[in-house]
Amino acid sequence: MSASKEGPNPLRPYYIPPSVGASAGTPSKSQPPPNLGSKYGSSQSASSQSFGSSARNILADMDYSDYLSDTSPSTTATIKSLAEQALWKYTSVFLAQPFDVAKTVLQVRLPGSGLPPRFRKFKAIQVAPENEIKRVGHRYSSASSENESPPPTYYTRPAPPPPTGLTPPRRPRPRRRPDSPDLDLSSDEDIPPRNTPKPSPHILDIKSESSLTAALSTLWQKEGAWGIFKGTNSTYVHSILLSTITSFARSFLAAIFAVPDPSLSFQINPPAGSVGGLDILSSPTPMASLAIAVSAAGIAGILLAPLDIARTKLMLTPSTHPPRSVMSTLKTLSSWTLPWSIAPVTFLHSTLPTFMSASLPLFLRSKLSIDPVVTPTMYDLAIFIGQGLELGAKLPIETVLRRGQMNIAQTGLQAGSQNKELQTVVTVGPYKGLIGTMRSIIYEEGERTVKAAPVKPAAASRTTSLARDPERRKGQGLEGLWRGWRVGMWGLLGIWGAATLGSVGSKGGEF
């Protein structure tokens, strides 16, 4: 008799036969029936079954509808999905490019390097009529001749003094021609000196040094729509390559060191704080996963440094000056490797945001006991504050990096074009390393107005304080390191607002 008919095996009273696959009591057609007189008959029949057929029957009975789709996507659907993702990415880059260009212009601009006031008022002095120029020269020559003292007269009789009550007649002052309103010949101080260098026609005259809208309006007036969308293609290519190389390097390092990939989330509902698709909380070795994520970001930033230099160069050069393509701009660089002068700044700029965004959830859970599952509201608020701090730490390093990249672009152009000067839309500030450039921005470049403290009166009867005039100090101050922080905060608020609305709509009424 079979084991199913005889009841449970007395040696295995708690054994329950499996309900999937071929039953243990059904003999195989290709094998003879087992020897019923042997006590090992059941084990021989189980071992005689084919492993492939039993595994196939088990997999056929399992339900994978919760994990995999019913049908795999076709080639056409895959190509369509990739095209939609590429179009969405390019649209987002295109809409954000004007703000990125204006922010870069404010970051690299040397304060007080716009069009001087003399050239604002006397832009037409070089095209003035020739007779007016002769009149100006005659007036200067006559004035200089009047100021010269006459030679001493030793053998002539002195002239009689003029009668009292009479004054010598004044020379008539030259009048301004009605057809040249910009040329005022009545004052000597308004005439620009002859040795003053002619400003570049591409230099932007930005009214405010910290206003992003002022930079955008000046770019629009100077170069039109092409001026505010410069470098869109290079920014798009850079963003695609950056995400691709970062993901590949992260997966490669995770496989080498036998660590779970930080980009794979093992949570059912990943929190909004997993910035960039990183999930360190679910990793069995969080510190190793954090080190791999930061190293991958640094490798991607170092490899794409020449493309980033070309992107910055396209943003800061006039839109009418060739070359304007990505490959042609890369060919103008002296080297396609990362220069040593900006290597520390580039590595820090690439790794610092990833380090802060990936390590913040781990710090919140281990030190502050703020968990995305237990306290989701506090966790989201803490992540938002952390991203604001990340933006504040990134902007000063980005300002120094942009100046260093323009310095490298200028050096490469001079080396390959016989000391040819790079034409930019603003005068680029100097690059003196990370600390040196920050110190130069704060204490040396430009001037800033500082509100003076009120002076207390000496008399005891007066209780009001005397206001003092604002002081002028050298340097931009700390504000010069955070150009464009407003648009960064607005972008952060927009991303979080869209994520919040999307999460509310996706819950579908669940409490």
Side-chain angles (χ1 to χ4, degrees):
M1 293 179 64
S2 62
S4 60
K5 294 181 179 180
E6 293 179 354
N9 192 341
L11 301 178
R12 303 171 66 186
Y14 300 104
Y15 173 72
I16 300 176
S19 60
V20 295
S23 61
T26 305
S28 177
K29 296 181 180 179
S30 59
Q31 298 292 339
N35 187 5
L36 301 179
S38 174
K39 62 180 180 179
Y40 302 105
S42 61
S43 61
Q44 291 178 358
S45 64
S47 61
S48 63
Q49 294 178 357
S50 174
F51 176 76
S53 61
S54 61
R56 185 164 50 252
N57 293 333
I58 292 175
L59 293 176
D61 294 338
M62 290 185 178
D63 186 13
Y64 292 96
S65 60
D66 296 337
Y67 306 97
L68 300 175
S69 59
D70 296 338
T71 57
S72 58
S74 61
T75 306
T76 306
T78 303
I79 295 177
K80 181 181 179 181
S81 176
L82 292 177
E84 290 177 352
Q85 292 180 4
L87 181 61
W88 173 260
K89 183 67 176 179
Y90 189 85
T91 304
S92 61
V93 170
F94 182 80
L95 295 178
Q97 189 64 19
F99 304 99
D100 198 7
V101 172
K103 182 183 69 173
T104 306
V105 167
L106 294 179
Q107 286 176 341
V108 304
R109 179 176 180 266
L110 185 65
S113 60
L115 196 63
R118 292 181 177 180
F119 287 98
R120 294 175 189 170
K121 189 175 181 180
F122 299 101
K123 292 181 290 185
I125 188 146
Q126 296 182 357
V127 295
E130 184 178 0
N131 56 352
E132 293 185 1
I133 298 177
K134 290 182 178 180
R135 289 172 56 191
V136 174
H138 176 71
R139 182 166 63 89
Y140 278 157
S141 61
S142 61
S144 60
S145 61
E146 289 178 359
N147 294 332
E148 294 178 358
S149 60
T153 55
Y154 300 102
Y155 305 102
T156 57
R157 181 176 298 177
T164 59
L166 298 179
T167 57
R170 295 182 178 180
R171 294 178 57 88
R173 300 181 66 180
R175 299 179 180 177
R176 185 174 59 182
R177 291 171 57 95
D179 55 350
S180 60
D182 292 335
L183 187 62
D184 188 7
L185 303 177
S186 60
S187 60
D188 298 345
E189 59 182 9
D190 292 338
I191 303 299
R194 297 181 180 179
N195 297 330
T196 303
K198 180 182 178 181
S200 175
H202 307 287
I203 296 294
L204 300 178
D205 185 16
I206 303 177
K207 306 300 181 182
S208 177
E209 299 176 356
S210 60
S211 176
L212 201 71
T213 56
L216 283 174
S217 62
T218 308
L219 279 169
W220 181 272
Q221 295 173 2
K222 196 76 172 180
E223 301 181 4
W226 294 106
I228 62 176
F229 290 103
K230 293 184 293 186
T232 303
N233 295 335
S234 60
T235 305
Y236 174 72
V237 174
H238 181 269
S239 62
I240 293 295
L241 293 179
L242 182 63
S243 59
T244 303
I245 295 177
T246 303
S247 301
F248 175 78
R250 189 168 52 230
S251 303
F252 179 77
L253 293 177
I256 291 261
F257 294 100
V259 175
D261 191 352
S263 61
L264 299 179
S265 178
F266 300 97
Q267 301 182 18
I268 299 177
N269 295 322
S274 56
V275 183
L278 300 180
D279 186 15
I280 306 297
L281 294 178
S282 59
S283 176
T285 54
M287 299 306 297
S289 300
L290 177 63
I292 286 177
V294 172
S295 301
I299 291 173
I302 291 175
L303 293 179
L304 295 178
L307 181 60
D308 199 13
I309 296 175
R311 167 175 166 266
T312 306
K313 182 180 178 181
L314 288 173
M315 289 183 184
L316 296 177
T317 51
S319 58
T320 56
H321 283 205
R324 304 306 303 172
S325 62
V326 180
M327 291 303 300
S328 301
T329 308
L330 283 173
K331 292 179 181 178
T332 60
L333 302 179
S334 58
S335 176
W336 283 17
T337 57
L338 177 62
W340 288 105
S341 59
I342 62 173
V345 185
T346 303
F347 184 79
L348 192 61
H349 178 264
S350 303
T351 57
L352 183 61
T354 304
F355 174 77
M356 295 186 66
S357 61
S359 62
L360 183 59
L362 183 62
F363 173 78
L364 293 176
R365 170 181 281 185
S366 59
K367 301 298 181 181
L368 303 180
S369 301
I370 299 178
D371 190 85
V373 179
V374 180
T375 56
T377 305
M378 288 297 298
Y379 182 82
D380 292 342
L381 180 60
I383 288 296
F384 178 77
I385 296 175
Q387 288 185 347
L389 295 177
E390 174 191 340
L391 178 65
K394 178 183 176 182
L395 282 179
I397 303 176
E398 184 179 355
T399 301
V400 177
L401 178 62
R402 298 304 176 218
R403 292 195 175 193
Q405 289 175 346
M406 289 306 298
N407 186 20
I408 295 299
Q410 177 66 36
T411 304
L413 185 64
Q414 291 179 354
S417 303
Q418 298 179 357
N419 296 332
K420 183 179 179 181
E421 184 179 359
L422 180 65
Q423 296 291 333
T424 56
V425 294
V426 291
T427 304
V428 181
Y431 174 72
K432 304 176 183 179
L434 179 61
I435 305 300
T437 306
M438 289 185 179
R439 182 178 179 84
S440 176
I441 292 174
I442 297 175
Y443 298 107
E444 298 177 5
E445 297 180 2
E447 292 183 352
R448 67 184 187 274
T449 303
V450 180
K451 185 178 181 180
V455 180
K456 294 183 178 180
S461 59
R462 300 178 59 185
T463 57
T464 58
S465 59
L466 301 177
R468 297 176 58 185
D469 295 336
E471 299 179 359
R472 302 288 296 178
R473 294 183 182 179
K474 194 174 183 181
Q476 304 183 47
L478 294 177
E479 185 182 358
L481 298 177
W482 280 277
R483 301 297 186 193
W485 67 271
R486 293 182 180 87
V487 67
M489 289 301 299
W490 280 112
L492 190 60
L493 288 173
I495 292 175
W496 274 81
T500 303
L501 293 177
S503 62
V504 170
S506 62
K507 291 182 181 179
E510 295 182 1
F511 182 73

